[in-house]
Amino acid sequence: MNPAIKPFVSSQDISKGDRGLGKIANELQGSIYGIVCVTRENQAAPWVNFESGALSRELDESVLAPFLVDLSVKDFSGPIAQFQATESESKDDVWALVKSINAKCEESVEADRLEVVFDRFWGDLDGALSEVRGAQSEDVPPGRDTPDILNELVSLVREQTMRIHRLEERLEIVRVTNASNTYTINDPQQVTIGVDEIPESRTKRTSKQDHFIAQVKKLLGSDNVLGALKRTSRVHIIVNRDGLDKAQIHVHELQLLASKYSIAAAIQEEGQGSANQVHVIP
């Protein structure tokens, strides 16, 4: 594909008598791209995940690409499933992988020339891969069940939600820390800030958030709303159990309120985790 590429495959490029682990370690230090060939049979093998983990650590800011020989992305699981995989049966997918490798080279080949070479050799590669698939054992593990896939998706969504929450909290801390408001000291024991000195966009946002919180209290009952944390683009409202039950019942009305004030919100039961939340997104 590209003359600048110097591939290393341990089964072919370690000479008899060499120290295998040392040779692999030396090659990894100079590599910028790693490809892991994954099959239904080996995706759960400890050695695959162990060596992939070592490869990803050595590559650091470089790329680790799982190459799925006889399974699709939806059936791909395990620690290395976090990396963007390539389905070997898809010509477009493999072409995307080839372009990615070429882009990592110090001297990349022009896209048009690269595609001509790829098209020339795709038939040979596809035929060889078909032979590999045909030689696979019939006793390989079956494809993943739908509930398993859905559970993984739910877990990933929850993880992303938590990351977004943490990021929002950090951004809010940075925003407050870096705020350049001018304070006026009227008395040694009194510090005030002029309204004119607060950015207009900030006061409008705060006003919208206050109105939204007030409407939520009316809908859920003031006694059921225990507190509220106002963030840059989100309001986090803490409620008791009755408040959470009402939020689940009136989720449509809450979404209308969120749309009216252009505010995203999370309504969470006090002392409970993210599982006891109602997300309100306009």
Side-chain angles (χ1 to χ4, degrees), residues 195-214:
V195 175
D196 293 340
E197 296 167 0
I198 302 176
E200 183 180 359
S201 60
R202 182 179 169 187
T203 58
K204 285 183 179 179
R205 182 177 66 246
T206 303
S207 177
K208 282 185 176 182
Q209 291 175 335
D210 289 338
H211 285 305
F212 175 76
I213 294 170

Side-chain angles (χ1 to χ4, degrees), residues 31 33 58 220-221 226 269-270 278:
S31 298
Y33 212 105
E58 290 288 348
L220 305 183
L226 307 179
E269 182 181 356
E270 183 184 28
V278 174

Side-chain angles (χ1 to χ4, degrees), residues 116-132:
V116 169
V117 177
F118 175 78
D119 287 338
R120 165 64 183 82
F121 287 103
W122 166 250
D124 297 340
L125 175 62
D126 189 39
L129 288 170
S130 296
E131 290 183 12
V132 173

